[in-house]
Amino acid sequence: MSDIAGPRQRRKEARPGEIIEAALILFHQKGYAATKLDDIARAAGVTKGTLYLYFPSKEALFKAAISETIHPNLDRIEELALKSTESATIRLRTAIHSWATALNECKGSISKLMISEAGNFPELTDFYIETVIKRSRALLMLLIKAGVDSGEFRQTDPDMLARILFSPILLTSIWRHTYASQDPITYDLNQLAQFHLDIVLHGIAIAPEHTL
Amino acid sequence: MSDIAGPRQRRKEARPGEIIEAALILFHQKGYAATKLDDIARAAGVTKGTLYLYFPSKEALFKAAISETIHPNLDRIEELALKSTESATIRLRTAIHSWATALNECKGSISKLMISEAGNFPELTDFYIETVIKRSRALLMLLIKAGVDSGEFRQTDPDMLARILFSPILLTSIWRHTYASQDPITYDLNQLAQFHLDIVLHGIAIAPEHTL
Amino acid sequence: MSDIAGPRQRRKEARPGEIIEAALILFHQKGYAATKLDDIARAAGVTKGTLYLYFPSKEALFKAAISETIHPNLDRIEELALKSTESATIRLRTAIHSWATALNECKGSISKLMISEAGNFPELTDFYIETVIKRSRALLMLLIKAGVDSGEFRQTDPDMLARILFSPILLTSIWRHTYASQDPITYDLNQLAQFHLDIVLHGIAIAPEHTL
Amino acid sequence: MSDIAGPRQRRKEARPGEIIEAALILFHQKGYAATKLDDIARAAGVTKGTLYLYFPSKEALFKAAISETIHPNLDRIEELALKSTESATIRLRTAIHSWATALNECKGSISKLMISEAGNFPELTDFYIETVIKRSRALLMLLIKAGVDSGEFRQTDPDMLARILFSPILLTSIWRHTYASQDPITYDLNQLAQFHLDIVLHGIAIAPEHTL
DNA sequence: TATGAATGAGCATTCATTCAT
DNA sequence: AATGAATGAATGCTCATTCAT
């Protein structure tokens, strides 16, 4: 009932989140420079002035939107894969699938946004590289090395293999957010992940039973 | 005669190309909206007004830059792989390596630019999807199907496999152009392609001799 | 009882005065346009909304601040000089010194503020000119004429002399409030007034005994 | 004939001066903050964007306007009084009259502007104090000391006397620019200067012949 | 063909004012 | 009486585009 509030309702707690959500979608669709604060305000159901109650500038809003979205996802993946006592094969599959699932559910793609805007926001990019990219890749490399050590996988280059394992999922996720209307993708990221894992694990497995 | 022009003197036929080259680099670095015509003009060694002698608007220049860069690359790949009478395995390897080589040499990445700006230039995106993306993928799928038909590869999903085969190369190329300073990549795209092909072909090969 | 209120608790009757005091200082320091209501509110220890309980607009607050500060000072000077039955010389000295003393003690300078903002507030300026400037000058001219009539001073131009007599004090007062840090003034306005009066009275006196 | 140029005429050389002149008048009338760039542009006969071809910001335009106006006047006064071999009395009269003449002719009053805006532009104020105020006062003090040394004037406080000598002229000049309509002044600054000098020199002269 | 001064619509940001609480 | 979140008109500044030279 009080949900249907008038135009001057007070929402101090909820506002920043609503604004960030609206901003992220628009930044993602149009890029930072092409996104107008008017658009963000309208999408968030407020006026332009209100944005400045919560964020001191457009740039600050952009950075906040990126950071806020990144942070809650950071720890989840690592937990999943590291705690487990299963075989490296299983843990690798689990890690990648949980990541694919996360990407499947995202409305926007931080990866795409960072690719587009990295050149214009060097410090933000540094932060993203350190906290997201390197950390994610380190996890994959850890699992790959574990598999090599345990005799599940052949000797291989963990850096390249890590890059190869996440590329199709990440690029397809970006693709879907970019070319959804012109080139729709009919399967979900988990299917793609499974398909790729089956091939790669078969390709690097020492014994067939280590494929799954 | 006009060939012997001074080093600073430019032949007028060369102008559009020089402008496009400068524009492409800047669009790629900063994105469309953040790139100023002043910057492009300065980088091309002309003044802002001169741009309008060759391109009616910023948007037209952007589209021209994309199109001009795409076109000369379009036919090359197809020729390479289709003419050959080798095995599907060989032709697949050849196609992917020649593509990796092409990407290796590019100063900018049209793929990255299209990902960034697709939302703001729908018609251009349509054109890109039809002439580049779908055509490239169709080529890979053709070769994959040929390999399945010839008994070199197991039965598989050509769309997914095509996507998987170009993802690491394309994403790594984009990566390199985006995060070069923060996260340098030490190997080239051909090494990555070979590494991936070895694994995947081994994974999908019916007999070991079809891996190479 | 309400006198025993906590140090932070303010009696509501005091509010307008506290706001005016804070406003006057800020208007004086930064000028009308550069002073934000937020600053005034903060300086007065209230919130921005509260200002509107006492003053209908920023302009009204400004005018009130000027008027409130002017009024209590209006009558004082006239009393001092007019009641006296001393010689014109003495009364002139008394008037100027009491005025110098008043200016010495002021934290802000209405004169400076009016000089700065006269162009933007014509009606307020009219009011200030009529009630302060012309009245003050009329007083000085009255005393000068009295001195001429009584044979204390030579025949002279009362308007010019009045202007000359208050200029050093007024300008120095403004100066002190404007360039305090860059160009500090080491003597007080009474010293300056006495110095000037000694010279001028000696200059216009008919007989030496009329200098003091 | 070509003077009646169209709206797109080119005036690169003349423009900065025209803009500064228009800006100075408006800053003077309304103060810095209350002066809109649109107003300045309109008064200068250009559009807002043109201002930015010549000045990088409103603040830079303001500072340029002050500086440009100050500089040409700096050396003039000193020359006048210092070269002369006349008596100190004559040189003092000459200096003050030439200064009064300069102020008489000015459309705006930098002094007024600096009083209004000193608080908001500390570095500009420092510059003004050092190059204009202190230099002018030093000149007057020099002449006063010369008069004392030559036996023309009694022993006196040069700082105070200097301040007293320029106050009426300066304040009246400011007054005229501030309250022209409400409180017009009927005599010019040279009359005022002569009136004051006659009194003061008579007041401080050791012998009557040193008054003129 | 080439220039670059000038334009003006567009956008980020500010801040006096309002109003639900 | 007091708050402070929200508003929106105003304004400094940018930049794609035009055009006289």
Side-chain angles (χ1 to χ4, degrees), chain D residues 80-94:
Chain D
L80 267 164
L82 293 179
K83 276 196 246 173
S84 171
T85 56
E86 309 273 359
S87 69
T89 305
I90 298 286
R91 285 193 289 157
L92 193 58
R93 280 186 179 272
T94 305

Side-chain angles (χ1 to χ4, degrees), chain D residues 5 30 100 102 164 173 182 211:
Chain D
K30 309 153 83 101
I164 276 168
S173 166
Q182 294 96 339
T211 301

Side-chain angles (χ1 to χ4, degrees), chain B residues 177-194:
Chain B
H177 287 109
T178 305
Y179 304 123
S181 56
Q182 294 97 340
D183 185 31
I185 294 169
T186 52
Y187 39 82
D188 80 7
L189 297 180
N190 275 302
Q191 287 178 269
L192 184 71
Q194 182 172 1

Side-chain angles (χ1 to χ4, degrees), chain B residues 158-169:
Chain B
D159 184 279
M160 274 195 189
L161 187 54
R163 215 172 277 275
I164 277 168
L165 282 173
F166 73 67
S167 284
I169 301 171

Side-chain angles (χ1 to χ4, degrees), chain A:
Chain A
M1 237 160 266
S2 63
D3 276 333
I4 312 170
R8 283 219 172 215
Q9 80 218 83
R10 292 211 215 170
R11 308 269 293 282
K12 187 131 177 51
E13 273 87 61
R15 277 283 146 75
E18 294 167 3
I19 292 170
I20 278 183
E21 193 177 0
L24 202 55
I25 292 171
L26 286 165
F27 283 141
H28 183 262
Q29 278 171 5
K30 308 153 85 100
Y32 176 79
T35 299
K36 288 138 196 94
L37 288 187
D38 265 322
D39 298 337
I40 296 176
R42 199 174 316 114
V46 297
T47 58
K48 224 176 358 172
T50 303
L51 301 182
Y52 285 86
L53 292 178
Y54 300 100
F55 306 96
S57 68
K58 186 185 180 185
E59 184 168 342
L61 170 54
F62 179 69
K63 290 178 176 173
I66 300 277
S67 302
E68 293 286 305
T69 311
I70 284 173
H71 272 118
N73 294 318
L74 272 182
D75 306 311
R76 262 201 304 172
I77 296 176
E78 290 198 0
E79 287 173 27
L80 267 163
L82 292 178
K83 278 197 242 169
S84 171
T85 56
E86 309 274 357
S87 70
T89 306
I90 298 286
R91 285 193 288 159
L92 193 56
R93 282 187 178 271
T94 305
I96 286 183
H97 275 294
S98 70
W99 186 52
T101 302
L103 285 181
N104 247 342
E105 289 161 358
C106 281
K107 261 182 267 177
S109 165
I110 294 287
S111 311
K112 178 190 161 183
L113 204 40
M114 286 309 307
I115 285 172
S116 303
E117 305 296 345
N120 298 321
F121 299 93
E123 338 79 52
L124 183 63
T125 304
D126 285 344
F127 169 76
Y128 175 71
I129 291 283
E130 294 301 325
T131 57
V132 178
I133 298 302
K134 291 197 175 165
R135 222 163 140 192
S136 301
R137 196 163 56 222
L139 169 65
L140 283 190
M141 288 169 68
L142 190 79
L143 296 177
I144 291 166
K145 282 175 191 157
V148 172
D149 291 346
S150 69
E152 290 167 75
F153 308 150
R154 302 168 200 262
Q155 195 69 32
T156 189
D157 182 324
D159 184 279
M160 275 195 191
L161 187 54
R163 219 173 273 276
I164 276 168
L165 281 174
F166 73 66
S167 284
I169 301 171
L170 185 53
L171 189 62
T172 304
S173 166
I174 292 171
W175 218 256
R176 174 175 285 166
H177 287 110
T178 305
Y179 304 123
S181 56
Q182 294 95 340
D183 186 31
I185 293 169
T186 52
Y187 38 83
D188 80 6
L189 297 180
N190 274 303
Q191 288 178 269
L192 183 71
Q194 182 173 359
F195 182 87
H196 194 205
L197 280 165
D198 287 346
I199 293 174
V200 168
L201 289 178
H202 187 255
I204 66 170
I206 282 175
E209 67 268 25
H210 287 140
T211 302
L212 185 59

Side-chain angles (χ1 to χ4, degrees), chain C residues 15 47 49-50 53-54:
Chain C
R15 275 278 153 79
T47 58
T50 304
L53 294 176
Y54 299 101

Side-chain angles (χ1 to χ4, degrees), chain B residues 8-209:
Chain B
R8 282 280 107 194
Q9 171 152 12
R10 290 203 176 82
R11 290 146 307 173
K12 58 188 179 192
E13 316 87 67
R15 274 279 155 78
E18 291 165 358
I19 292 170
I20 277 183
E21 193 178 0
L24 203 53
I25 292 172
L26 286 164
F27 284 141
H28 182 261
Q29 278 172 4
K30 308 153 86 97
Y32 175 80
T35 298
K36 293 159 208 160
L37 289 188
D38 265 319
D39 298 337
I40 296 175
R42 197 176 316 115
V46 298
T47 58
K48 214 169 19 165
T50 304
L51 301 182
Y52 283 85
L53 295 176
Y54 299 101
F55 306 96
S57 69
K58 185 185 182 185
E59 185 169 340
L61 169 55
F62 179 70
K63 290 177 176 172
I66 299 276
S67 303
E68 294 287 305
T69 311
I70 285 174
H71 274 117
N73 293 319
L74 272 183
D75 306 312
R76 259 200 308 173
I77 297 175
E78 291 197 359
E79 288 172 27
L80 266 164
L82 293 179
K83 278 196 246 168
S84 171
T85 57
E86 307 273 359
S87 70
T89 305
I90 298 285
R91 284 192 289 157
L92 193 56
R93 282 187 177 273
T94 306
I96 285 182
H97 276 294
S98 69
W99 185 53
T101 302
L103 285 181
N104 247 343
E105 289 161 358
C106 280
K107 258 181 273 177
S109 165
I110 294 287
S111 311
K112 177 189 161 183
L113 204 39
M114 287 308 308
I115 285 172
S116 301
E117 305 296 344
N120 298 320
F121 299 94
E123 338 78 55
L124 183 63
T125 304
D126 285 344
F127 169 76
Y128 175 71
I129 291 283
E130 294 302 325
T131 58
V132 179
I133 298 302
K134 291 197 175 165
R135 224 162 138 189
S136 301
R137 195 163 57 220
L139 169 65
L140 284 190
M141 287 168 68
L142 191 79
L143 296 176
I144 290 165
K145 282 176 192 157
V148 171
D149 291 344
S150 69
E152 291 168 73
F153 308 151
R154 302 168 200 261
Q155 195 65 36
T156 189
D157 182 324
D159 184 279
M160 274 195 189
L161 187 54
R163 215 172 277 275
I164 277 168
L165 282 173
F166 73 67
S167 284
I169 301 171
L170 184 53
L171 190 61
T172 303
S173 166
I174 292 171
W175 218 256
R176 174 175 285 166
H177 287 109
T178 305
Y179 304 123
S181 56
Q182 294 97 340
D183 185 31
I185 294 169
T186 52
Y187 39 82
D188 80 7
L189 297 180
N190 275 302
Q191 287 178 269
L192 184 71
Q194 182 172 1
F195 182 87
H196 194 204
L197 280 165
D198 286 347
I199 292 174
V200 167
L201 291 177
H202 185 257
I204 66 170
I206 282 174
E209 67 268 26

